[in-house]
Amino acid sequence: MLNFGRTRAQPRSNRSISLGGMDYSDPKRKNNVVGKILLAATLTALCIIMLKQSPTFYSPSPFSLHEQGVIHVLVTGGAGFIGSHAALRLLKDGYRVTIVDNLSRGNIGAVKVLQELFPEPGRLQFIYADLGDPKTVNIIFSQNAFDAVMHFAAVAYVGESTMDPLKYYHNITSNTLVVLEAMAANDVKTLIYSSTCATYGEPEKMPITEVTPQVPINPYGKAKKMAEDIILDFSKNSDMAIMILRYFNVIGSDPEGRLGEAPRPELREHGRISGACFDAARGIIPGLKVKGTDYKTHDGTCIRDYIDVTDLVDAHVKALQKAMPGKVGIYNVGTGKGRSVKEFVKACKKATGVDIKVDYLPRRPGDYAEVFSDPSKINLELNWTAQYTDLQKSLQTAWRWQKSHQNGYGSPLVMAS
Ligand SMILES: O=c1ccn([C@@H]2O[C@H](COP(=O)(O)OP(=O)(O)O[C@H]3OC[C@@H](O)[C@H](O)[C@H]3O)[C@@H](O)[C@H]2O)c(=O)[nH]1
Protein backbone atom coordinates (compact mmCIF):
# COMPACT_ATOMS: atom_id res chain seq x y z
CA MET A 1 0.00 0.00 0.00
CA LEU A 2 2.84 2.41 0.77
CA ASN A 3 4.26 3.93 -2.34
CA PHE A 4 7.80 5.09 -1.75
CA GLY A 5 8.91 4.74 -5.34
CA ARG A 6 7.08 7.71 -6.89
CA THR A 7 9.37 10.46 -8.10
CA ARG A 8 8.74 14.16 -8.21
CA ALA A 9 8.72 14.00 -11.96
CA GLN A 10 5.77 11.62 -11.96
CA PRO A 11 3.28 12.63 -9.31
CA ARG A 12 -0.02 10.86 -9.66
CA SER A 13 -1.91 14.08 -10.02
CA ASN A 14 0.39 15.23 -12.83
CA ARG A 15 -0.50 12.13 -14.73
CA SER A 16 -4.15 12.83 -14.14
CA ILE A 17 -3.77 16.11 -16.05
CA SER A 18 -2.47 14.37 -19.13
CA LEU A 19 -5.14 11.65 -18.83
CA GLY A 20 -7.72 14.19 -19.89
CA GLY A 21 -5.54 15.36 -22.75
CA MET A 22 -6.57 18.94 -22.00
CA ASP A 23 -4.53 22.07 -22.59
CA TYR A 24 -5.15 24.92 -20.16
CA SER A 25 -3.34 27.35 -22.41
CA ASP A 26 -5.78 26.89 -25.37
CA PRO A 27 -7.45 30.34 -25.71
CA LYS A 28 -10.66 28.85 -27.14
CA ARG A 29 -11.00 26.62 -24.15
CA LYS A 30 -10.42 29.61 -21.86
CA ASN A 31 -13.51 31.21 -23.36
CA ASN A 32 -15.55 28.10 -22.89
CA VAL A 33 -16.80 28.60 -19.35
CA VAL A 34 -18.87 25.42 -19.23
CA GLY A 35 -15.97 23.42 -20.61
CA LYS A 36 -13.66 24.85 -17.99
CA ILE A 37 -16.02 24.02 -15.17
CA LEU A 38 -16.45 20.46 -16.45
CA LEU A 39 -12.70 20.11 -16.86
CA ALA A 40 -12.02 21.39 -13.37
CA ALA A 41 -14.68 19.11 -11.89
CA THR A 42 -13.32 16.08 -13.76
CA LEU A 43 -9.74 16.78 -12.73
CA THR A 44 -10.72 17.37 -9.13
CA ALA A 45 -12.79 14.18 -9.04
CA LEU A 46 -9.92 12.20 -10.57
CA CYS A 47 -7.48 13.63 -8.08
CA ILE A 48 -9.75 12.96 -5.15
CA ILE A 49 -10.23 9.34 -6.25
CA MET A 50 -6.49 8.86 -6.63
CA LEU A 51 -5.56 10.69 -3.47
CA LYS A 52 -8.09 8.70 -1.44
CA GLN A 53 -5.66 5.77 -1.50
CA SER A 54 -3.95 7.08 1.58
CA PRO A 55 -1.30 7.35 2.80
CA THR A 56 0.30 8.34 -0.47
CA PHE A 57 3.95 9.26 -0.43
CA TYR A 58 5.28 11.83 -2.90
CA SER A 59 8.96 12.22 -2.41
CA PRO A 60 12.22 12.03 -4.27
CA SER A 61 13.45 9.25 -2.02
CA PRO A 62 12.32 7.03 0.82
CA PHE A 63 12.60 8.53 4.26
CA SER A 64 12.71 5.38 6.31
CA LEU A 65 16.34 5.72 7.31
CA HIS A 66 17.28 8.00 10.15
CA GLU A 67 20.24 10.05 9.03
CA GLN A 68 22.47 10.69 11.95
CA GLY A 69 22.61 14.24 13.18
CA VAL A 70 19.80 15.55 10.99
CA ILE A 71 16.64 16.33 12.90
CA HIS A 72 13.53 15.02 11.19
CA VAL A 73 10.41 17.07 11.84
CA LEU A 74 6.90 15.97 11.00
CA VAL A 75 4.91 19.05 9.99
CA THR A 76 1.20 18.27 10.05
CA GLY A 77 -0.78 20.70 7.92
CA GLY A 78 2.40 21.64 6.05
CA ALA A 79 0.43 22.44 2.89
CA GLY A 80 -1.42 25.19 4.75
CA PHE A 81 -0.50 28.84 5.26
CA ILE A 82 1.44 28.63 8.54
CA GLY A 83 2.58 25.02 8.10
CA SER A 84 4.15 25.68 4.69
CA HIS A 85 6.02 28.73 6.01
CA ALA A 86 7.26 26.63 8.95
CA ALA A 87 8.39 23.86 6.61
CA LEU A 88 10.28 26.39 4.49
CA ARG A 89 12.09 27.76 7.53
CA LEU A 90 12.94 24.29 8.84
CA LEU A 91 14.29 23.20 5.46
CA LYS A 92 16.32 26.41 5.17
CA ASP A 93 17.78 25.67 8.59
CA GLY A 94 18.87 22.18 7.54
CA TYR A 95 16.14 20.05 9.10
CA ARG A 96 14.54 17.22 7.16
CA VAL A 97 10.83 17.64 6.88
CA THR A 98 7.91 15.35 6.33
CA ILE A 99 4.64 17.09 5.57
CA VAL A 100 1.40 15.26 6.25
CA ASP A 101 -1.69 16.99 4.91
CA ASN A 102 -5.13 15.88 3.74
CA LEU A 103 -5.41 18.96 1.50
CA SER A 104 -8.79 19.82 2.96
CA ARG A 105 -7.60 23.37 3.66
CA GLY A 106 -4.04 23.45 2.36
CA ASN A 107 -2.65 23.57 -1.16
CA ILE A 108 -0.51 21.03 -2.95
CA GLY A 109 1.02 24.00 -4.82
CA ALA A 110 2.71 25.14 -1.60
CA VAL A 111 4.32 21.70 -1.27
CA LYS A 112 5.44 21.87 -4.88
CA VAL A 113 7.17 25.21 -4.21
CA LEU A 114 9.04 23.60 -1.30
CA GLN A 115 9.95 20.55 -3.38
CA GLU A 116 11.40 22.79 -6.08
CA LEU A 117 13.42 24.71 -3.52
CA PHE A 118 14.70 21.57 -1.79
CA PRO A 119 14.89 18.81 -4.41
CA GLU A 120 17.78 16.92 -2.77
CA PRO A 121 16.86 13.38 -1.74
CA GLY A 122 16.08 13.06 1.92
CA ARG A 123 15.13 16.69 2.57
CA LEU A 124 11.37 16.89 2.07
CA GLN A 125 8.72 14.24 1.96
CA PHE A 126 5.03 14.86 1.35
CA ILE A 127 2.45 12.36 2.53
CA TYR A 128 -1.17 12.79 1.59
CA ALA A 129 -3.03 11.43 4.59
CA ASP A 130 -5.74 12.29 7.07
CA LEU A 131 -4.88 12.56 10.75
CA GLY A 132 -8.37 11.36 11.53
CA ASP A 133 -7.28 7.88 10.50
CA PRO A 134 -5.20 6.37 13.35
CA LYS A 135 -4.16 3.32 11.33
CA THR A 136 -2.68 5.45 8.59
CA VAL A 137 -1.01 7.77 11.08
CA ASN A 138 0.60 4.80 12.83
CA ILE A 139 1.92 3.48 9.55
CA ILE A 140 3.45 6.87 8.85
CA PHE A 141 5.07 7.04 12.28
CA SER A 142 6.36 3.50 12.17
CA GLN A 143 7.92 4.02 8.73
CA ASN A 144 9.68 7.24 9.69
CA ALA A 145 12.00 8.11 12.51
CA PHE A 146 10.59 11.49 13.47
CA ASP A 147 12.45 13.45 16.09
CA ALA A 148 9.75 16.06 16.56
CA VAL A 149 6.24 16.97 15.52
CA MET A 150 4.88 20.41 14.74
CA HIS A 151 1.14 19.93 14.78
CA PHE A 152 -0.44 22.68 12.67
CA ALA A 153 -3.16 20.72 10.88
CA ALA A 154 -6.57 21.96 12.00
CA VAL A 155 -9.63 23.86 10.94
CA ALA A 156 -9.20 27.44 12.16
CA TYR A 157 -12.03 29.85 11.42
CA VAL A 158 -13.81 31.36 14.41
CA GLY A 159 -16.97 32.15 12.40
CA GLU A 160 -17.17 28.67 10.86
CA SER A 161 -16.71 27.10 14.29
CA THR A 162 -19.90 28.75 15.53
CA MET A 163 -21.84 27.34 12.56
CA ASP A 164 -20.30 23.87 12.49
CA PRO A 165 -19.08 23.25 16.05
CA LEU A 166 -18.90 19.46 15.76
CA LYS A 167 -16.43 19.72 12.91
CA TYR A 168 -14.23 21.86 15.16
CA TYR A 169 -14.51 19.74 18.29
CA HIS A 170 -13.85 16.58 16.30
CA ASN A 171 -11.05 17.81 14.07
CA ILE A 172 -9.10 19.64 16.75
CA THR A 173 -9.39 17.26 19.70
CA SER A 174 -9.52 13.89 17.99
CA ASN A 175 -6.65 14.55 15.59
CA THR A 176 -4.48 15.81 18.44
CA LEU A 177 -5.21 12.57 20.30
CA VAL A 178 -4.26 10.50 17.27
CA VAL A 179 -0.98 12.40 16.89
CA LEU A 180 -0.15 12.10 20.60
CA GLU A 181 -0.92 8.37 20.66
CA ALA A 182 1.24 7.78 17.58
CA MET A 183 4.05 9.82 19.12
CA ALA A 184 3.88 7.84 22.36
CA ALA A 185 3.71 4.48 20.54
CA ASN A 186 6.65 5.35 18.32
CA ASP A 187 8.81 7.07 20.91
CA VAL A 188 8.75 10.52 19.32
CA LYS A 189 9.79 12.88 22.04
CA THR A 190 9.10 16.48 21.04
CA LEU A 191 5.81 18.22 20.25
CA ILE A 192 5.27 21.84 19.24
CA TYR A 193 1.53 22.45 19.39
CA SER A 194 -0.35 25.23 17.57
CA SER A 195 -2.77 26.80 19.98
CA THR A 196 -4.47 30.15 19.90
CA CYS A 197 -5.33 33.35 21.72
CA ALA A 198 -8.95 32.25 21.15
CA THR A 199 -8.49 29.96 24.19
CA TYR A 200 -8.51 33.08 26.41
CA GLY A 201 -11.92 34.26 25.23
CA GLU A 202 -12.51 37.80 26.34
CA PRO A 203 -10.30 38.52 29.35
CA GLU A 204 -11.05 41.50 31.54
CA LYS A 205 -7.44 42.61 31.67
CA MET A 206 -5.13 43.40 28.80
CA PRO A 207 -2.50 42.50 27.75
CA ILE A 208 -2.93 38.74 27.94
CA THR A 209 -0.24 36.78 29.76
CA GLU A 210 0.08 33.00 29.82
CA VAL A 211 -1.60 32.92 33.24
CA THR A 212 -4.61 34.94 32.13
CA PRO A 213 -7.57 32.59 32.75
CA GLN A 214 -8.64 30.68 29.66
CA VAL A 215 -12.37 31.13 29.18
CA PRO A 216 -12.97 30.57 25.47
CA ILE A 217 -16.23 31.84 24.02
CA ASN A 218 -16.41 30.10 20.64
CA PRO A 219 -16.14 26.41 19.64
CA TYR A 220 -12.76 26.99 17.95
CA GLY A 221 -11.23 28.39 21.15
CA LYS A 222 -12.98 25.79 23.31
CA ALA A 223 -11.74 22.90 21.16
CA LYS A 224 -8.17 24.25 21.22
CA LYS A 225 -8.40 24.58 25.00
CA MET A 226 -9.59 20.96 25.18
CA ALA A 227 -6.64 19.87 23.02
CA GLU A 228 -4.28 21.79 25.33
CA ASP A 229 -5.85 20.01 28.33
CA ILE A 230 -5.38 16.63 26.66
CA ILE A 231 -1.72 17.45 26.05
CA LEU A 232 -1.20 18.76 29.59
CA ASP A 233 -2.80 15.69 31.21
CA PHE A 234 -0.75 13.40 28.99
CA SER A 235 2.43 15.30 29.86
CA LYS A 236 2.03 14.52 33.57
CA ASN A 237 3.20 10.95 33.05
CA SER A 238 5.45 11.46 30.09
CA ASP A 239 8.98 12.62 29.42
CA MET A 240 7.93 14.24 26.18
CA ALA A 241 9.23 17.75 25.51
CA ILE A 242 6.20 19.91 24.77
CA MET A 243 5.77 23.50 23.69
CA ILE A 244 2.31 25.03 23.34
CA LEU A 245 2.32 28.21 21.30
CA ARG A 246 -0.75 30.42 21.52
CA TYR A 247 -0.80 32.46 18.35
CA PHE A 248 -2.49 35.79 17.99
CA ASN A 249 -3.66 36.89 14.51
CA VAL A 250 -1.27 35.71 11.83
CA ILE A 251 -0.65 37.82 8.72
CA GLY A 252 2.05 38.42 6.10
CA SER A 253 3.89 35.94 3.93
CA ASP A 254 7.39 34.86 2.94
CA PRO A 255 9.42 38.07 2.33
CA GLU A 256 11.01 36.41 -0.71
CA GLY A 257 7.59 35.84 -2.26
CA ARG A 258 7.77 32.07 -2.51
CA LEU A 259 4.77 31.25 -0.34
CA GLY A 260 1.55 33.02 0.56
CA GLU A 261 -1.89 32.61 2.02
CA ALA A 262 -4.43 30.97 -0.26
CA PRO A 263 -7.62 30.20 1.63
CA ARG A 264 -10.31 28.15 -0.06
CA PRO A 265 -12.70 30.38 -2.05
CA GLU A 266 -15.65 28.27 -0.89
CA LEU A 267 -14.85 29.27 2.71
CA ARG A 268 -14.65 32.97 1.87
CA GLU A 269 -17.64 33.88 4.04
CA HIS A 270 -15.78 32.60 7.12
CA GLY A 271 -12.43 34.03 6.03
CA ARG A 272 -10.05 36.06 8.09
CA ILE A 273 -9.74 39.82 7.84
CA SER A 274 -6.50 39.76 5.79
CA GLY A 275 -7.96 37.47 3.10
CA ALA A 276 -11.17 39.51 2.97
CA CYS A 277 -9.21 42.77 2.52
CA PHE A 278 -7.13 41.31 -0.29
CA ASP A 279 -10.17 39.80 -2.00
CA ALA A 280 -11.86 43.21 -1.87
CA ALA A 281 -8.70 44.93 -3.17
CA ARG A 282 -8.55 42.49 -6.10
CA GLY A 283 -12.22 43.01 -6.89
CA ILE A 284 -13.04 39.33 -6.23
CA ILE A 285 -15.67 40.50 -3.74
CA PRO A 286 -17.47 43.83 -4.06
CA GLY A 287 -16.14 45.18 -0.76
CA LEU A 288 -14.98 44.38 2.74
CA LYS A 289 -17.60 43.66 5.37
CA VAL A 290 -16.52 44.98 8.74
CA LYS A 291 -18.37 42.83 11.24
CA GLY A 292 -19.29 44.83 14.31
CA THR A 293 -18.86 48.53 15.04
CA ASP A 294 -20.40 48.69 18.51
CA TYR A 295 -17.67 47.04 20.58
CA LYS A 296 -16.34 48.88 23.61
CA THR A 297 -13.11 49.85 21.90
CA HIS A 298 -11.78 53.26 20.85
CA ASP A 299 -13.40 53.10 17.40
CA GLY A 300 -16.07 50.45 18.00
CA THR A 301 -14.32 47.66 16.04
CA CYS A 302 -12.49 44.60 17.42
CA ILE A 303 -8.88 44.84 18.46
CA ARG A 304 -6.40 42.11 17.56
CA ASP A 305 -2.65 41.55 17.80
CA TYR A 306 -1.36 40.91 14.26
CA ILE A 307 1.75 38.76 14.14
CA ASP A 308 3.77 38.22 10.96
CA VAL A 309 4.06 34.60 9.83
CA THR A 310 7.85 34.94 9.51
CA ASP A 311 8.08 35.86 13.18
CA LEU A 312 5.66 33.08 14.08
CA VAL A 313 7.72 30.35 12.43
CA ASP A 314 10.84 31.77 14.06
CA ALA A 315 9.09 31.23 17.41
CA HIS A 316 8.50 27.59 16.40
CA VAL A 317 12.15 26.98 15.60
CA LYS A 318 13.20 28.58 18.89
CA ALA A 319 10.60 26.49 20.73
CA LEU A 320 11.91 23.34 19.05
CA GLN A 321 15.47 24.18 20.07
CA LYS A 322 14.55 24.94 23.67
CA ALA A 323 12.05 22.13 24.28
CA MET A 324 13.07 20.11 27.37
CA PRO A 325 12.23 16.46 28.09
CA GLY A 326 9.46 16.12 30.67
CA LYS A 327 8.62 19.84 30.52
CA VAL A 328 5.78 21.83 28.99
CA GLY A 329 6.40 25.38 27.86
CA ILE A 330 3.41 27.60 27.12
CA TYR A 331 3.93 30.85 25.24
CA ASN A 332 1.90 33.65 23.73
CA VAL A 333 3.14 34.56 20.27
CA GLY A 334 2.17 38.13 19.49
CA THR A 335 3.62 41.59 19.07
CA GLY A 336 2.11 43.03 22.23
CA LYS A 337 0.29 45.70 20.23
CA GLY A 338 -3.45 45.78 19.53
CA ARG A 339 -4.93 47.22 16.35
CA SER A 340 -8.58 47.77 15.56
CA VAL A 341 -10.27 46.39 12.45
CA LYS A 342 -10.62 49.97 11.18
CA GLU A 343 -6.86 50.50 11.64
CA PHE A 344 -6.21 47.20 9.89
CA VAL A 345 -8.36 48.26 6.94
CA LYS A 346 -6.55 51.60 6.71
CA ALA A 347 -3.19 49.81 6.63
CA CYS A 348 -4.53 47.39 4.01
CA LYS A 349 -5.73 50.25 1.80
CA LYS A 350 -2.24 51.81 1.99
CA ALA A 351 -0.48 48.48 1.39
CA THR A 352 -2.58 47.62 -1.66
CA GLY A 353 -3.03 51.13 -2.99
CA VAL A 354 -6.71 50.30 -3.45
CA ASP A 355 -9.48 52.35 -1.92
CA ILE A 356 -11.32 49.25 -0.70
CA LYS A 357 -15.07 49.72 -0.37
CA VAL A 358 -16.17 49.04 3.19
CA ASP A 359 -19.61 47.99 4.40
CA TYR A 360 -20.43 47.96 8.11
CA LEU A 361 -22.35 44.93 9.33
CA PRO A 362 -23.57 43.62 12.69
CA ARG A 363 -21.22 41.60 14.92
CA ARG A 364 -20.01 38.14 13.90
CA PRO A 365 -21.00 35.42 16.39
CA GLY A 366 -18.05 34.19 18.46
CA ASP A 367 -16.02 37.41 18.29
CA TYR A 368 -14.48 39.08 21.35
CA ALA A 369 -13.83 42.83 21.52
CA GLU A 370 -10.16 43.00 22.35
CA VAL A 371 -7.17 40.69 22.58
CA PHE A 372 -3.49 41.47 22.52
CA SER A 373 -0.56 39.67 24.03
CA ASP A 374 2.03 40.28 26.63
CA PRO A 375 4.98 38.58 24.90
CA SER A 376 7.48 39.03 27.79
CA LYS A 377 7.61 35.32 28.65
CA ILE A 378 8.63 34.25 25.15
CA ASN A 379 11.00 37.25 24.89
CA LEU A 380 12.74 36.18 28.06
CA GLU A 381 12.69 32.38 27.90
CA LEU A 382 13.00 31.70 24.17
CA ASN A 383 14.87 34.89 23.27
CA TRP A 384 12.17 35.62 20.70
CA THR A 385 10.90 39.06 19.76
CA ALA A 386 8.65 39.98 16.86
CA GLN A 387 10.75 41.66 14.17
CA TYR A 388 8.08 42.38 11.55
CA THR A 389 5.93 44.76 13.55
CA ASP A 390 5.03 47.24 10.82
CA LEU A 391 1.50 46.12 9.92
CA GLN A 392 1.48 47.93 6.60
CA LYS A 393 4.79 46.37 5.53
CA SER A 394 3.59 42.86 6.43
CA LEU A 395 0.44 43.46 4.42
CA GLN A 396 2.51 44.81 1.51
CA THR A 397 4.56 41.61 1.47
CA ALA A 398 1.42 39.50 1.48
CA TRP A 399 -0.18 41.70 -1.17
CA ARG A 400 2.82 41.24 -3.53
CA TRP A 401 2.25 37.46 -3.39
CA GLN A 402 -1.51 37.87 -3.81
CA LYS A 403 -1.06 40.06 -6.88
CA SER A 404 1.33 37.65 -8.54
CA HIS A 405 -0.88 34.65 -7.67
CA GLN A 406 -4.31 35.70 -8.84
CA ASN A 407 -5.54 32.10 -8.46
CA GLY A 408 -3.56 31.35 -5.33
CA TYR A 409 -1.66 28.11 -5.92
CA GLY A 410 -4.13 27.04 -8.62
CA SER A 411 -6.16 23.94 -7.90
CA PRO A 412 -5.56 22.97 -4.26
CA LEU A 413 -5.34 19.29 -5.19
CA VAL A 414 -3.64 19.21 -8.59
CA MET A 415 0.12 19.43 -8.93
CA ALA A 416 0.40 22.01 -11.74
CA SER A 417 3.03 20.93 -14.25
O1 LIG B 1 -14.43 39.72 6.59
C1 LIG B 1 -14.12 39.97 7.77
C2 LIG B 1 -13.32 39.09 8.55
C3 LIG B 1 -13.04 39.41 9.85
N1 LIG B 1 -13.50 40.58 10.37
C4 LIG B 1 -13.19 40.96 11.76
O2 LIG B 1 -11.79 41.01 11.91
C5 LIG B 1 -11.42 40.60 13.24
C6 LIG B 1 -10.42 39.46 13.14
O3 LIG B 1 -11.10 38.33 12.61
P1 LIG B 1 -10.33 37.13 11.91
O4 LIG B 1 -11.36 36.19 11.38
O5 LIG B 1 -9.33 37.65 10.94
O6 LIG B 1 -9.51 36.47 13.09
P2 LIG B 1 -10.01 35.96 14.54
O7 LIG B 1 -9.55 36.98 15.54
O8 LIG B 1 -11.43 35.63 14.53
O9 LIG B 1 -9.23 34.59 14.73
C7 LIG B 1 -7.95 34.45 14.18
O10 LIG B 1 -6.98 34.69 15.16
C8 LIG B 1 -6.66 33.70 16.08
C9 LIG B 1 -6.33 32.45 15.34
O11 LIG B 1 -5.96 31.42 16.19
C10 LIG B 1 -7.50 32.03 14.49
O12 LIG B 1 -7.19 30.86 13.79
C11 LIG B 1 -7.81 33.09 13.52
O13 LIG B 1 -8.92 32.78 12.73
C12 LIG B 1 -12.73 40.21 13.93
O14 LIG B 1 -13.19 41.31 14.62
C13 LIG B 1 -13.68 39.93 12.77
O15 LIG B 1 -15.04 40.16 13.05
C14 LIG B 1 -14.28 41.45 9.63
O16 LIG B 1 -14.71 42.52 10.09
N2 LIG B 1 -14.56 41.12 8.35
Side-chain angles (χ1 to χ4, degrees), residues 114-298:
L114 296 170
Q115 285 180 330
E116 281 169 359
L117 289 168
F118 298 94
E120 317 87 58
R123 294 303 311 284
L124 170 64
Q125 172 178 235
F126 170 63
I127 305 172
Y128 171 82
D130 195 321
L131 298 178
D133 174 359
K135 228 169 101 188
T136 297
V137 173
N138 269 303
I139 293 171
I140 293 167
F141 272 80
S142 61
Q143 301 240 339
N144 289 276
F146 299 128
D147 297 294
V149 176
M150 288 190 182
H151 180 32
F152 295 99
V155 286
Y157 292 130
V158 166
E160 186 188 32
S161 81
T162 64
M163 296 168 83
D164 195 352
L166 297 188
K167 181 200 283 263
Y168 275 71
Y169 286 118
H170 188 93
N171 173 283
I172 291 170
T173 59
S174 163
N175 290 3
T176 301
L177 265 174
V178 170
V179 169
L180 267 182
E181 282 168 351
M183 288 179 74
N186 292 278
D187 209 27
V188 181
K189 295 281 191 205
T190 304
L191 171 67
I192 315 295
Y193 183 69
S194 303
S195 189
T196 167
C197 62
T199 59
Y200 294 111
E202 192 155 29
E204 278 167 19
K205 248 178 74 191
M206 286 295 133
I208 296 175
T209 72
E210 288 78 0
V211 296
T212 295
Q214 289 174 291
V215 191
I217 63 164
N218 53 53
Y220 171 62
K222 289 179 191 174
K224 282 281 180 182
K225 165 84 168 70
M226 287 176 187
E228 280 195 13
D229 287 343
I230 292 169
I231 294 168
L232 290 173
D233 283 344
F234 166 77
S235 73
K236 287 174 188 151
N237 297 304
S238 157
D239 62 348
M240 201 179 276
I242 296 171
M243 294 290 207
I244 293 174
L245 302 183
R246 295 182 184 147
Y247 317 161
F248 284 67
N249 289 59
V250 189
I251 52 159
S253 62
D254 170 41
E256 290 179 50
R258 295 161 294 190
L259 297 170
E261 184 174 12
R264 291 291 162 89
E266 67 271 22
L267 295 170
R268 197 164 272 141
E269 62 167 309
H270 304 299
R272 299 189 307 122
I273 185 80
S274 46
C277 275
F278 292 139
D279 283 350
R282 287 193 299 180
I284 293 172
I285 55 173
L288 174 75
K289 294 171 180 162
V290 167
K291 297 166 186 170
T293 51
D294 58 350
Y295 288 96
K296 283 190 184 140
T297 58
H298 68 272

